Amino acid sequence: MTERRVEFFRHNLTEEDIALATDVMRSVFLTTGPKVAEFERKLSNYLSNGHVVGLTSCTAALHLALLRHGIGPGDEVITTPMTFCATATAILQAGATPIFVDVCPHSALIKPEDAEKAITAKTKAIIPVHLYGRMADMRGFAELAKPYNLVVIEDAAHCLEGQRDGVRPGQLGHAACFSFYATKNITCGEGGALVCKTDGDAAWYRSARHHGISKNAASRYTGSYQHWDMDMMGWKYNMDDIQAALLIHQIDQIYGYRRRRQHLEQLYREMLADIKGLEFIEPPAEGEESGHHLFTVLLPRECSRDAVLNSLQERGIGCAVNYRAVHTLTYFRESYGYRPEDFPIAYDIGCRTVTLPLYPKLGEDEVRRVCAALRAVV
Ligand SMILES: *Cc1c(COP(=O)(O)O)cnc(C)c1O
């Protein structure tokens, strides 16, 4: 008997989402318009915070947030090497220099006290990453930022849902950046957003996401003809109404989806607890809420991670690596001369980590199969 493959990820798009996107396609107007505005209102309600600006990606959000706060050539931005490369490339896109700080071995997050040691006269910003769904210590980072007058931008691609020490993503940072990429907790294939505090910030981001043009297509479309003008440098980062339509109903499901992933992660932790040498990233603390975006295990050091990945794939289990440490990627090694041991904890995690399937549609029987397969191959 051949069992069905356990996919690494399956999205949650429903007929309702598809119908809403289809309505947009049957209308005259496809790009940034009323659906994006509705998505932005709904997401800012969900986040209990400020202004949401819909963008094409989280990378775009990180890039614009750095520019909004005047970060550019000659500036240093502190971040973690245990993240997707986009956190660091957004810093490079802004013209600034990423400065990595090694992570805590238990949480895989960077800590404010370690970030402080990397502050120099050139440091302008910190980008903590809420990795795997767990928030970084935002109270600590906000405290640290004050005396040094640093900007704090949250990479919340894994964490729409988090809550730690009474704060949520975007509530303490100058901006928080979200991703709706194909495998994220809510998705429209490709998409992103940023949440910011002030009307001034929001207006700047709305202009910057659309060439720096003063009127967007929707406002030019109605009423009498008005010339548009370009009054600042801008980019092409605007979310469109088709993407927004796919996301609008998913926002209502965020809470339930999070609960389901939390349950499945708990199941994994129980079922894998007795495998010798297998380690886990620590679970969220009491009272803290994680987005439970990814569940990753750290293989015993004597295991070949790549052999385990291949064996799991052969057994029909989708898996991934989140992440090989950014400083070990060829571009960063060659451009900056990093050696793996420069950030030994991130390097160690990056060599041993395997991410297992975790999404609301994953069945408990599938979790059992993943665990049995992992037990057999480790
Ligand atoms: C997915 C991801 C990004 C980039 O998101 P895009 O929307 O694909 O640009 C950035 N940071 C982290 C931690 C991510 O997982």
Side-chain angles (χ1 to χ4, degrees):
M1 191 189 82
T2 52
E3 283 183 296
R4 206 160 57 96
R5 190 181 149 76
V6 182
E7 297 294 349
F8 177 67
F9 184 78
R10 277 180 280 154
H11 65 69
N12 297 302
L13 289 175
T14 62
E15 288 309 315
E16 197 185 14
D17 300 323
I18 294 165
L20 204 60
T22 311
D23 287 347
V24 173
M25 288 186 259
R26 293 212 169 89
S27 77
V28 176
F29 196 82
L30 300 178
T31 182
T32 314
K35 288 291 172 224
V36 172
E38 188 182 343
F39 158 79
E40 292 176 342
R41 277 195 306 276
K42 248 184 121 164
L43 190 63
S44 65
N45 266 342
Y46 169 79
L47 292 167
S48 312
N49 191 10
H51 302 266
V52 169
V53 179
L55 300 167
T56 45
S57 69
C58 181
T59 313
L62 291 164
H63 181 206
L64 289 188
L66 290 163
L67 297 177
R68 171 61 181 161
H69 295 285
I71 288 142
D75 298 336
E76 293 180 351
V77 179
I78 292 172
T79 193
T80 165
M82 183 38 61
T83 182
F84 183 55
C85 61
T87 318
T89 55
I91 297 167
L92 295 172
Q93 284 174 30
T97 306
I99 302 294
F100 296 119
V101 167
D102 208 358
V103 295
C104 159
H106 309 295
S107 65
L109 303 169
I110 54 168
K111 290 178 155 176
E113 56 267 38
D114 295 330
E116 183 162 22
K117 295 179 200 139
I119 294 175
T120 70
K122 292 180 179 170
T123 308
K124 291 287 162 52
I126 306 179
I127 308 185
V129 176
H130 304 325
L131 193 72
Y132 307 139
R134 253 194 106 181
M135 279 183 76
D137 175 8
M138 281 307 299
R139 285 201 185 274
F141 281 110
E143 268 312 298
L144 173 63
K146 259 187 246 157
Y148 297 98
N149 204 16
L150 303 179
V151 172
V152 182
I153 297 166
E154 300 168 61
D155 182 335
H158 294 185
C159 190
L160 270 168
E161 306 88 346
Q163 183 267 113
R164 175 170 173 172
D165 306 321
V167 293
R168 297 174 62 187
Q171 291 182 335
L172 291 184
H174 291 74
C177 303
F178 302 100
S179 174
F180 310 115
Y181 172 71
T183 58
K184 297 300 200 299
N185 288 347
I186 68 170
T187 178
C188 57
E190 298 285 353
L194 167 155
V195 61
C196 59
K197 297 267 173 5
T198 67
D199 292 344
D201 282 344
W204 188 90
Y205 287 119
R206 292 213 158 84
S207 176
R209 74 177 168 184
H210 192 246
H211 309 290
I213 284 175
S214 53
K215 290 186 193 331
N216 66 23
S219 66
R220 282 183 277 126
Y221 174 69
T222 52
S224 61
Y225 188 86
Q226 290 174 309
H227 287 292
W228 54 265
D229 194 9
M230 177 188 152
D231 46 27
M232 59 181 258
M233 177 57 193
W235 280 262
K236 188 66 171 75
Y237 285 162
N238 53 309
M239 176 181 277
D240 68 42
D241 269 18
I242 302 170
Q243 294 170 306
L246 288 172
L247 292 166
I248 282 170
H249 292 306
Q250 289 185 73
I251 296 171
D252 301 325
Q253 310 300 326
I254 292 174
Y255 181 75
Y257 288 158
R258 189 194 79 80
R259 288 281 300 273
R260 172 75 185 163
R261 289 190 306 271
Q262 181 179 30
H263 170 71
L264 295 172
E265 176 172 329
Q266 187 57 34
L267 213 59
Y268 270 127
R269 286 181 185 273
E270 285 163 15
M271 296 183 76
L272 296 173
D274 64 335
I275 298 184
K276 217 171 141 265
L278 193 74
E279 292 180 303
F280 305 99
I281 304 296
E282 71 184 5
E286 195 70 40
E288 178 189 334
E289 279 177 32
S290 167
H292 298 283
H293 174 54
L294 297 172
F295 179 66
T296 145
V297 296
L298 304 178
L299 297 181
R301 286 202 172 73
E302 62 276 14
C303 253
S304 156
R305 192 259 310 275
D306 292 1
V308 170
L309 286 173
N310 286 329
S311 304
L312 287 173
Q313 293 281 9
E314 276 165 20
R315 286 162 194 256
I317 309 293
C319 45
V321 173
N322 304 91
Y323 299 93
R324 289 189 296 151
V326 175
H327 73 285
T328 67
L329 301 176
T330 302
Y331 175 80
F332 285 90
R333 253 190 5 247
E334 289 182 350
S335 309
Y336 300 94
Y338 287 124
R339 290 156 307 148
E341 58 273 23
D342 289 341
F343 308 101
I345 302 167
Y347 176 59
D348 181 57
I349 293 172
C351 292
R352 296 168 61 206
T353 185
V354 173
T355 308
L356 303 177
L358 181 70
Y359 46 90
K361 281 184 177 162
L362 187 71
E364 294 181 12
D365 53 320
E366 291 180 304
V367 171
R368 276 186 208 100
R369 277 177 55 204
V370 173
C371 292
L374 187 64
R375 187 179 298 275
V377 302
V378 166

